[in-house]
Amino acid sequence: MSDTKPPRSRHQYEADLRRECVATFAEHTIASRSEGRWVLKRNGTEGNFWCEVAALAGGFLLVHGDFDVCAWEGGSYRAPRDLVGWIGAHGNDLGYVTEKASRALDGHELTEERIGEVLRHDLADLLADWEPYHGEEPSDDVREAITDAIEQADDCTYQQEFDRLIESLMDDNVIDGEEASGLGCVTTRRVIRGWAAVNRLHTLLLAEESAENPQGDGKNPATGSVQGA
């Protein structure tokens, strides 16, 4: 096994990636704006993960720039500022953010993926919980199948290779389709980084609104949130 560190769970992996992506945009400022569009840059340059956030018709929010494009669809808000708050203030509910991105990006191919580290964690949990869940110890065949899968997880590079590994466990009757659906899955960097860019814009706009209305409560009417991250 190439990684000697304990494998992270999905929650741990996504929390670490979320912190990393929030830090990426921590020094970005609004470089320019027009109706429903904001350009964010760090140090005024178009390197360093510059981006444009665009609120489009039909409750569709888009972010593009110096990283993979991301988008969200399905919000009930139509005002551009409210659309920014709709996604930007939802960082504590990554599942919601991912689901809305899946709607905009035509499925889960770009919003969720399997990675070896989290798959190893999930398979180890599967083996550890086998007796409490099934009421009996795992057979030698089950134990061998799961152990082999754990050892092979880090050798997988492409999603098709992960899928074949999961399918082999299903063929061996170690897991069923429901158990297979989430094993090793995480939200992609595309979605988390895109959310972090929108979150930064939301935070900057909240600060502007608070400065313009010092007697107000600083809340965004779309979300009721008083903080961005």
Side-chain angles (χ1 to χ4, degrees):
M1 208 172 287
S2 61
D3 189 355
T4 58
K5 296 180 180 179
R8 289 173 290 179
S9 67
R10 176 173 187 162
H11 175 76
Q12 292 168 327
Y13 174 90
E14 291 178 343
D16 288 345
L17 182 55
R18 180 180 180 275
R19 282 190 290 270
E20 175 191 329
C21 291
V22 167
T24 294
F25 296 100
E27 298 180 6
H28 279 56
T29 58
I30 299 174
S32 63
R33 71 185 83 195
S34 57
E35 181 61 31
R37 291 173 179 265
W38 299 263
V39 174
L40 301 182
K41 295 180 181 179
R42 186 169 66 206
N43 300 325
T45 70
E46 289 198 353
N48 298 322
F49 297 103
W50 79 275
C51 63
E52 180 184 32
V53 178
L56 306 178
F60 192 99
L61 188 69
L62 171 73
V63 58
H64 74 100
D66 190 30
F67 50 88
D68 292 331
V69 65
C70 195
W72 298 267
E73 183 180 11
S76 59
Y77 305 107
R78 293 298 180 265
R81 173 65 184 96
D82 291 349
L83 278 173
V84 171
W86 165 57
I87 292 300
H90 256 109
N92 291 328
D93 189 355
L94 193 56
Y96 179 88
V97 171
T98 304
E99 189 270 327
K100 298 304 180 184
S102 297
R103 289 189 57 172
L105 299 174
D106 295 326
H108 296 278
E109 184 176 350
L110 297 178
T111 63
E112 291 185 286
E113 62 183 351
R114 284 190 170 98
I115 64 169
E117 176 184 2
V118 175
L119 181 55
R120 287 193 290 116
H121 174 277
D122 291 350
L123 290 172
D125 274 0
L126 179 69
L127 187 57
D129 293 341
W130 188 273
E131 183 174 359
Y133 185 77
H134 293 275
E136 59 184 12
E137 292 187 0
S139 67
D140 290 342
D141 287 343
V142 165
R143 188 179 297 277
E144 181 179 359
I146 296 176
T147 301
D148 287 347
I150 291 173
E151 293 175 351
Q152 295 173 42
D154 278 341
D155 294 329
C156 296
T157 302
Y158 302 103
Q159 292 303 298
Q160 296 93 325
E161 294 173 314
F162 285 111
D163 292 343
R164 286 195 291 270
L165 188 59
I166 297 298
E167 287 167 6
S168 70
L169 290 172
M170 294 178 65
D171 291 342
D172 291 339
N173 295 316
V174 175
I175 57 175
D176 57 27
E178 182 177 355
E179 292 170 315
S181 63
L183 281 177
C185 287
V186 299
T187 300
T188 59
R189 180 177 292 269
R190 174 193 301 268
V191 173
I192 296 179
R193 187 158 53 196
W195 164 81
V198 178
N199 170 261
R200 177 59 177 167
L201 174 60
H202 175 58
T203 301
L204 290 168
L205 292 175
L206 280 178
E208 289 181 354
E209 292 155 2
S210 179
E212 292 169 0
N213 182 25
Q215 302 304 317
D217 58 11
K219 291 184 179 180
N220 173 18
T223 63
S225 174
V226 296
Q227 58 183 22

